[in-house]
Structure formats: structure tokens, C-alpha cells
Amino acid sequence: DQQVKQNSPSLSVQEGRISILNCDYTNSMFDYFLWYKKYPAEGPTFLISISSIKDKNEDGRFTVFLNKSAKHLSLHIVPSQPGDSAVYFCAASVVDSSYKLIFGSGTRLLVRP
Amino acid sequence: GAGVSQSPSNKVTEKGKDVELRCDPISGHTALYWYRQSLGQGLEFLIYFQGNSAPDKSGLPSDRFSAERTGGSVSTLTIQRTQQEDSAVYLCASSLMLAGGGETQYFGPGTRLLVL
């Protein structure tokens, strides 16, 4: 039973355009959400997070949107750059047991020059 | 200011052998986590250590898997009698533990395990 789902295994975007990565979750107890980025042969690196008390969090070119009623979050990258090409993982947790991150299966983003 | 390190980076073993995977967390991080990523899958939580508290072993897939954390720092994940389905990338992460939760976990590069 996948509690965090990333239904698009891959996404290809032209450099300079917007990349939108989507994530759905089923557990209504989740109240903290994170995006991690992973390059080949490296561990995932933290990108951006959002608490359930917010619906948007922005950090430079990266913005995460949370729609609690739809149990959906998305990561927007604007403008996309070739160096953004990586696998992006969505993760969720319950704050009072925040150690246990539940990850989606990842979306491979390719930004074409 | 080194990050999380893991060794070995790659391990090939024969079915039925035991393997030990090592993780050195970031200095000062009290929490340590093990995950594994099978081919085409997301990261699967295995076990969590926090200070002197009893570890949360709820993610370990079978009793062939065990982990220790000595002196609150280095951790070893042991897989006994390895099976082919154990083949995966095993990732270690560490974090501070602050009140309120939501701490960022910092990951090591992983150990790629192949069981033949």
C-alpha cells in the first residue's frame, strides 16, 4: 500500500521552461512534506519542505504547493536548468514521529538544453 | 564538516553469505536512519536510532536484518544469509533532533549491494 505516490516516472522539459513534479498521498495524518533530489551514485539531498499549516513555500527557483483537501503536492522549478536533471523524490511524515519519512518512487526529470 | 559517509560503496556477495554495511553520520547528529532503495522503487525505511532510546526496527523486512549503533555514532547494518531480493542500494541518513520535529535528514551516498 503506497502512501506516497509519484505517478509520473519521468518528465522532460526544455531549458528555461517550468518543471512541475507531482505527488499524491493517502494518509491524512501526514503533516510535513519534503522534496529530495538525487543524482546518480549520490545520496538524496534535501531541496525544500512544507508544513501542513502552509499551502506554499518558495526558495529561489523552487516552489512547493500543498493542497490538503486533494492530498496533493507539487514542486515547481522555474526556470528549469540542465543541472536540475535528476530524480526527484517526494516524502511525507507525521511530525510527532518525524523520523520516519515515507518516500514516493521518484520522478526522473530531464531538462533539455 | 564531512557529510554522511558509507562503506563499502559497492558490495557483491554470494547468496547465503552475511554482509555488513557501515555508516558514519555527521558529527553531532543524534538521529541515524537506514533506508533501502530497490530498483525502480522509492526509499524504504528500515530502522531508526535516536540517542540512547530503543531503536525503531519496524521497517526491517525480516529477522535476517539487524543494525547496531555503537557509542551513539557509527552504525552497522548486518544482513545474514543474503538473498537475491536483498539486492538494493542501502542508504544511511542522519539528522539533528530538535523539538517540534521536521528535521532535515542528510543522506550518505549509499552502498550498492548485489547478491548473486
Side-chain angles (χ1 to χ4, degrees), chain A residues 54-77:
Chain A
K54 294 185 175 182
D55 54 17
K56 176 182 175 181
N57 188 26
E58 191 171 353
D59 183 2
R61 296 185 297 112
F62 302 92
T63 303
V64 56
F65 295 91
L66 176 62
N67 182 334
K68 291 184 287 292
S69 61
K71 295 192 179 69
H72 177 84
L73 67 156
S74 61
L75 175 68
H76 292 209
I77 307 174

PDB file of all heavy atoms in Angstrom, chain A residues 54-77:
ATOM      1  N   LYS A  54       0.798  25.417   5.909  1.00  0.00           N
ATOM      2  CA  LYS A  54       1.003  26.316   4.780  1.00  0.00           C
ATOM      3  C   LYS A  54       0.480  25.664   3.504  1.00  0.00           C
ATOM      4  O   LYS A  54       0.282  24.454   3.441  1.00  0.00           O
ATOM      5  CB  LYS A  54       2.493  26.614   4.598  1.00  0.00           C
ATOM      6  CG  LYS A  54       3.128  27.388   5.728  1.00  0.00           C
ATOM      7  CD  LYS A  54       4.558  27.731   5.366  1.00  0.00           C
ATOM      8  CE  LYS A  54       5.196  28.613   6.419  1.00  0.00           C
ATOM      9  NZ  LYS A  54       6.578  28.996   6.045  1.00  0.00           N
ATOM     10  N   ASP A  55       0.269  26.483   2.483  1.00  0.00           N
ATOM     11  CA  ASP A  55      -0.073  25.905   1.189  1.00  0.00           C
ATOM     12  C   ASP A  55       0.970  26.216   0.127  1.00  0.00           C
ATOM     13  O   ASP A  55       0.854  25.758  -1.008  1.00  0.00           O
ATOM     14  CB  ASP A  55      -1.464  26.359   0.731  1.00  0.00           C
ATOM     15  CG  ASP A  55      -1.608  27.874   0.720  1.00  0.00           C
ATOM     16  OD1 ASP A  55      -0.577  28.569   0.742  1.00  0.00           O
ATOM     17  OD2 ASP A  55      -2.754  28.358   0.701  1.00  0.00           O
ATOM     18  N   LYS A  56       1.988  26.967   0.525  1.00  0.00           N
ATOM     19  CA  LYS A  56       3.029  27.314  -0.436  1.00  0.00           C
ATOM     20  C   LYS A  56       4.315  27.623   0.312  1.00  0.00           C
ATOM     21  O   LYS A  56       4.287  28.267   1.367  1.00  0.00           O
ATOM     22  CB  LYS A  56       2.580  28.532  -1.250  1.00  0.00           C
ATOM     23  CG  LYS A  56       3.610  29.065  -2.236  1.00  0.00           C
ATOM     24  CD  LYS A  56       3.060  30.307  -2.938  1.00  0.00           C
ATOM     25  CE  LYS A  56       4.096  30.950  -3.852  1.00  0.00           C
ATOM     26  NZ  LYS A  56       3.568  32.173  -4.509  1.00  0.00           N
ATOM     27  N   ASN A  57       5.421  27.171  -0.253  1.00  0.00           N
ATOM     28  CA  ASN A  57       6.725  27.554   0.274  1.00  0.00           C
ATOM     29  C   ASN A  57       7.668  27.740  -0.906  1.00  0.00           C
ATOM     30  O   ASN A  57       7.716  26.905  -1.801  1.00  0.00           O
ATOM     31  CB  ASN A  57       7.268  26.484   1.234  1.00  0.00           C
ATOM     32  CG  ASN A  57       8.524  26.950   1.948  1.00  0.00           C
ATOM     33  OD1 ASN A  57       8.742  28.146   2.130  1.00  0.00           O
ATOM     34  ND2 ASN A  57       9.371  26.016   2.358  1.00  0.00           N
ATOM     35  N   GLU A  58       8.391  28.845  -0.879  1.00  0.00           N
ATOM     36  CA  GLU A  58       9.221  29.203  -2.021  1.00  0.00           C
ATOM     37  C   GLU A  58      10.674  29.359  -1.590  1.00  0.00           C
ATOM     38  O   GLU A  58      10.962  29.920  -0.529  1.00  0.00           O
ATOM     39  CB  GLU A  58       8.704  30.532  -2.588  1.00  0.00           C
ATOM     40  CG  GLU A  58       9.256  30.940  -3.927  1.00  0.00           C
ATOM     41  CD  GLU A  58       8.510  32.148  -4.489  1.00  0.00           C
ATOM     42  OE1 GLU A  58       7.502  32.567  -3.897  1.00  0.00           O
ATOM     43  OE2 GLU A  58       8.955  32.674  -5.516  1.00  0.00           O
ATOM     44  N   ASP A  59      11.580  28.878  -2.438  1.00  0.00           N
ATOM     45  CA  ASP A  59      13.006  29.039  -2.177  1.00  0.00           C
ATOM     46  C   ASP A  59      13.702  29.178  -3.517  1.00  0.00           C
ATOM     47  O   ASP A  59      13.991  28.193  -4.195  1.00  0.00           O
ATOM     48  CB  ASP A  59      13.547  27.821  -1.410  1.00  0.00           C
ATOM     49  CG  ASP A  59      15.025  27.975  -1.049  1.00  0.00           C
ATOM     50  OD1 ASP A  59      15.631  29.031  -1.359  1.00  0.00           O
ATOM     51  OD2 ASP A  59      15.591  27.032  -0.458  1.00  0.00           O
ATOM     52  N   GLY A  60      13.940  30.420  -3.900  1.00  0.00           N
ATOM     53  CA  GLY A  60      14.592  30.667  -5.185  1.00  0.00           C
ATOM     54  C   GLY A  60      13.743  30.195  -6.344  1.00  0.00           C
ATOM     55  O   GLY A  60      12.577  30.557  -6.481  1.00  0.00           O
ATOM     56  N   ARG A  61      14.324  29.332  -7.146  1.00  0.00           N
ATOM     57  CA  ARG A  61      13.602  28.824  -8.317  1.00  0.00           C
ATOM     58  C   ARG A  61      12.603  27.717  -7.959  1.00  0.00           C
ATOM     59  O   ARG A  61      11.868  27.256  -8.838  1.00  0.00           O
ATOM     60  CB  ARG A  61      14.612  28.286  -9.331  1.00  0.00           C
ATOM     61  CG  ARG A  61      15.556  29.323  -9.905  1.00  0.00           C
ATOM     62  CD  ARG A  61      16.448  28.752 -11.006  1.00  0.00           C
ATOM     63  NE  ARG A  61      17.321  27.702 -10.525  1.00  0.00           N
ATOM     64  CZ  ARG A  61      17.207  26.416 -10.873  1.00  0.00           C
ATOM     65  NH1 ARG A  61      16.257  26.025 -11.716  1.00  0.00           N
ATOM     66  NH2 ARG A  61      18.058  25.530 -10.404  1.00  0.00           N
ATOM     67  N   PHE A  62      12.623  27.276  -6.725  1.00  0.00           N
ATOM     68  CA  PHE A  62      11.810  26.131  -6.309  1.00  0.00           C
ATOM     69  C   PHE A  62      10.632  26.579  -5.445  1.00  0.00           C
ATOM     70  O   PHE A  62      10.804  27.332  -4.491  1.00  0.00           O
ATOM     71  CB  PHE A  62      12.671  25.133  -5.520  1.00  0.00           C
ATOM     72  CG  PHE A  62      13.851  24.627  -6.303  1.00  0.00           C
ATOM     73  CD1 PHE A  62      15.078  25.272  -6.232  1.00  0.00           C
ATOM     74  CD2 PHE A  62      13.728  23.518  -7.126  1.00  0.00           C
ATOM     75  CE1 PHE A  62      16.166  24.814  -6.964  1.00  0.00           C
ATOM     76  CE2 PHE A  62      14.809  23.059  -7.857  1.00  0.00           C
ATOM     77  CZ  PHE A  62      16.030  23.703  -7.779  1.00  0.00           C
ATOM     78  N   THR A  63       9.445  26.093  -5.796  1.00  0.00           N
ATOM     79  CA  THR A  63       8.247  26.372  -5.014  1.00  0.00           C
ATOM     80  C   THR A  63       7.488  25.072  -4.823  1.00  0.00           C
ATOM     81  O   THR A  63       7.300  24.316  -5.782  1.00  0.00           O
ATOM     82  CB  THR A  63       7.339  27.392  -5.730  1.00  0.00           C
ATOM     83  OG1 THR A  63       8.084  28.586  -5.979  1.00  0.00           O
ATOM     84  CG2 THR A  63       6.131  27.723  -4.864  1.00  0.00           C
ATOM     85  N   VAL A  64       7.075  24.821  -3.595  1.00  0.00           N
ATOM     86  CA  VAL A  64       6.247  23.656  -3.333  1.00  0.00           C
ATOM     87  C   VAL A  64       4.849  24.143  -2.961  1.00  0.00           C
ATOM     88  O   VAL A  64       4.679  25.082  -2.190  1.00  0.00           O
ATOM     89  CB  VAL A  64       6.854  22.750  -2.234  1.00  0.00           C
ATOM     90  CG1 VAL A  64       7.101  23.512  -0.947  1.00  0.00           C
ATOM     91  CG2 VAL A  64       5.959  21.550  -1.974  1.00  0.00           C
ATOM     92  N   PHE A  65       3.848  23.517  -3.556  1.00  0.00           N
ATOM     93  CA  PHE A  65       2.454  23.824  -3.299  1.00  0.00           C
ATOM     94  C   PHE A  65       1.806  22.604  -2.645  1.00  0.00           C
ATOM     95  O   PHE A  65       2.038  21.465  -3.057  1.00  0.00           O
ATOM     96  CB  PHE A  65       1.711  24.136  -4.605  1.00  0.00           C
ATOM     97  CG  PHE A  65       2.184  25.382  -5.299  1.00  0.00           C
ATOM     98  CD1 PHE A  65       3.188  25.323  -6.257  1.00  0.00           C
ATOM     99  CD2 PHE A  65       1.621  26.620  -5.000  1.00  0.00           C
ATOM    100  CE1 PHE A  65       3.633  26.473  -6.911  1.00  0.00           C
ATOM    101  CE2 PHE A  65       2.050  27.771  -5.645  1.00  0.00           C
ATOM    102  CZ  PHE A  65       3.056  27.696  -6.599  1.00  0.00           C
ATOM    103  N   LEU A  66       0.975  22.876  -1.636  1.00  0.00           N
ATOM    104  CA  LEU A  66       0.279  21.803  -0.945  1.00  0.00           C
ATOM    105  C   LEU A  66      -1.220  22.040  -0.998  1.00  0.00           C
ATOM    106  O   LEU A  66      -1.704  23.102  -0.609  1.00  0.00           O
ATOM    107  CB  LEU A  66       0.745  21.714   0.514  1.00  0.00           C
ATOM    108  CG  LEU A  66       0.037  20.710   1.400  1.00  0.00           C
ATOM    109  CD1 LEU A  66       0.240  19.291   0.893  1.00  0.00           C
ATOM    110  CD2 LEU A  66       0.504  20.839   2.847  1.00  0.00           C
ATOM    111  N   ASN A  67      -1.937  21.031  -1.454  1.00  0.00           N
ATOM    112  CA  ASN A  67      -3.402  21.066  -1.475  1.00  0.00           C
ATOM    113  C   ASN A  67      -3.886  19.947  -0.575  1.00  0.00           C
ATOM    114  O   ASN A  67      -3.955  18.781  -0.977  1.00  0.00           O
ATOM    115  CB  ASN A  67      -3.902  20.885  -2.914  1.00  0.00           C
ATOM    116  CG  ASN A  67      -5.424  20.956  -3.013  1.00  0.00           C
ATOM    117  OD1 ASN A  67      -6.135  20.668  -2.053  1.00  0.00           O
ATOM    118  ND2 ASN A  67      -5.926  21.340  -4.165  1.00  0.00           N
ATOM    119  N   LYS A  68      -4.195  20.317   0.666  1.00  0.00           N
ATOM    120  CA  LYS A  68      -4.528  19.287   1.662  1.00  0.00           C
ATOM    121  C   LYS A  68      -5.832  18.586   1.333  1.00  0.00           C
ATOM    122  O   LYS A  68      -5.981  17.392   1.572  1.00  0.00           O
ATOM    123  CB  LYS A  68      -4.589  19.906   3.057  1.00  0.00           C
ATOM    124  CG  LYS A  68      -3.222  20.334   3.576  1.00  0.00           C
ATOM    125  CD  LYS A  68      -3.304  20.845   5.005  1.00  0.00           C
ATOM    126  CE  LYS A  68      -3.958  22.210   5.084  1.00  0.00           C
ATOM    127  NZ  LYS A  68      -3.132  23.266   4.467  1.00  0.00           N
ATOM    128  N   SER A  69      -6.790  19.312   0.826  1.00  0.00           N
ATOM    129  CA  SER A  69      -8.090  18.692   0.550  1.00  0.00           C
ATOM    130  C   SER A  69      -7.952  17.620  -0.537  1.00  0.00           C
ATOM    131  O   SER A  69      -8.647  16.609  -0.521  1.00  0.00           O
ATOM    132  CB  SER A  69      -9.120  19.737   0.150  1.00  0.00           C
ATOM    133  OG  SER A  69      -8.708  20.411  -1.027  1.00  0.00           O
ATOM    134  N   ALA A  70      -7.050  17.867  -1.475  1.00  0.00           N
ATOM    135  CA  ALA A  70      -6.819  16.901  -2.552  1.00  0.00           C
ATOM    136  C   ALA A  70      -5.705  15.918  -2.210  1.00  0.00           C
ATOM    137  O   ALA A  70      -5.435  15.004  -3.007  1.00  0.00           O
ATOM    138  CB  ALA A  70      -6.483  17.631  -3.847  1.00  0.00           C
ATOM    139  N   LYS A  71      -5.051  16.116  -1.085  1.00  0.00           N
ATOM    140  CA  LYS A  71      -3.898  15.291  -0.694  1.00  0.00           C
ATOM    141  C   LYS A  71      -2.887  15.256  -1.842  1.00  0.00           C
ATOM    142  O   LYS A  71      -2.459  14.186  -2.310  1.00  0.00           O
ATOM    143  CB  LYS A  71      -4.323  13.875  -0.300  1.00  0.00           C
ATOM    144  CG  LYS A  71      -5.194  13.811   0.948  1.00  0.00           C
ATOM    145  CD  LYS A  71      -5.316  12.363   1.441  1.00  0.00           C
ATOM    146  CE  LYS A  71      -6.148  12.257   2.686  1.00  0.00           C
ATOM    147  NZ  LYS A  71      -7.584  12.546   2.445  1.00  0.00           N
ATOM    148  N   HIS A  72      -2.518  16.435  -2.254  1.00  0.00           N
ATOM    149  CA  HIS A  72      -1.649  16.574  -3.418  1.00  0.00           C
ATOM    150  C   HIS A  72      -0.635  17.666  -3.165  1.00  0.00           C
ATOM    151  O   HIS A  72      -0.961  18.728  -2.615  1.00  0.00           O
ATOM    152  CB  HIS A  72      -2.493  16.922  -4.655  1.00  0.00           C
ATOM    153  CG  HIS A  72      -1.691  17.157  -5.893  1.00  0.00           C
ATOM    154  ND1 HIS A  72      -1.260  16.132  -6.704  1.00  0.00           N
ATOM    155  CD2 HIS A  72      -1.219  18.315  -6.438  1.00  0.00           C
ATOM    156  CE1 HIS A  72      -0.576  16.645  -7.715  1.00  0.00           C
ATOM    157  NE2 HIS A  72      -0.529  17.958  -7.582  1.00  0.00           N
ATOM    158  N   LEU A  73       0.602  17.397  -3.561  1.00  0.00           N
ATOM    159  CA  LEU A  73       1.580  18.470  -3.562  1.00  0.00           C
ATOM    160  C   LEU A  73       2.370  18.450  -4.856  1.00  0.00           C
ATOM    161  O   LEU A  73       2.404  17.429  -5.565  1.00  0.00           O
ATOM    162  CB  LEU A  73       2.511  18.429  -2.349  1.00  0.00           C
ATOM    163  CG  LEU A  73       3.515  17.305  -2.158  1.00  0.00           C
ATOM    164  CD1 LEU A  73       4.635  17.799  -1.265  1.00  0.00           C
ATOM    165  CD2 LEU A  73       2.859  16.114  -1.502  1.00  0.00           C
ATOM    166  N   SER A  74       2.922  19.600  -5.162  1.00  0.00           N
ATOM    167  CA  SER A  74       3.683  19.713  -6.397  1.00  0.00           C
ATOM    168  C   SER A  74       4.914  20.567  -6.170  1.00  0.00           C
ATOM    169  O   SER A  74       4.946  21.422  -5.291  1.00  0.00           O
ATOM    170  CB  SER A  74       2.821  20.286  -7.525  1.00  0.00           C
ATOM    171  OG  SER A  74       2.365  21.571  -7.198  1.00  0.00           O
ATOM    172  N   LEU A  75       5.920  20.290  -6.966  1.00  0.00           N
ATOM    173  CA  LEU A  75       7.167  21.070  -6.950  1.00  0.00           C
ATOM    174  C   LEU A  75       7.293  21.767  -8.302  1.00  0.00           C
ATOM    175  O   LEU A  75       7.231  21.103  -9.342  1.00  0.00           O
ATOM    176  CB  LEU A  75       8.358  20.147  -6.719  1.00  0.00           C
ATOM    177  CG  LEU A  75       9.734  20.801  -6.801  1.00  0.00           C
ATOM    178  CD1 LEU A  75       9.937  21.770  -5.635  1.00  0.00           C
ATOM    179  CD2 LEU A  75      10.840  19.747  -6.810  1.00  0.00           C
ATOM    180  N   HIS A  76       7.435  23.075  -8.257  1.00  0.00           N
ATOM    181  CA  HIS A  76       7.625  23.854  -9.476  1.00  0.00           C
ATOM    182  C   HIS A  76       9.061  24.358  -9.516  1.00  0.00           C
ATOM    183  O   HIS A  76       9.558  24.906  -8.513  1.00  0.00           O
ATOM    184  CB  HIS A  76       6.661  25.050  -9.505  1.00  0.00           C
ATOM    185  CG  HIS A  76       5.233  24.656  -9.647  1.00  0.00           C
ATOM    186  ND1 HIS A  76       4.304  25.479 -10.274  1.00  0.00           N
ATOM    187  CD2 HIS A  76       4.551  23.548  -9.274  1.00  0.00           C
ATOM    188  CE1 HIS A  76       3.123  24.880 -10.266  1.00  0.00           C
ATOM    189  NE2 HIS A  76       3.248  23.710  -9.662  1.00  0.00           N
ATOM    190  N   ILE A  77       9.682  24.198 -10.657  1.00  0.00           N
ATOM    191  CA  ILE A  77      11.049  24.706 -10.852  1.00  0.00           C
ATOM    192  C   ILE A  77      10.990  25.681 -12.019  1.00  0.00           C
ATOM    193  O   ILE A  77      10.651  25.316 -13.141  1.00  0.00           O
ATOM    194  CB  ILE A  77      12.030  23.560 -11.179  1.00  0.00           C
ATOM    195  CG1 ILE A  77      11.958  22.453 -10.133  1.00  0.00           C
ATOM    196  CG2 ILE A  77      13.455  24.114 -11.263  1.00  0.00           C
ATOM    197  CD1 ILE A  77      12.789  21.221 -10.466  1.00  0.00           C
TER     198      ILE A  77
END
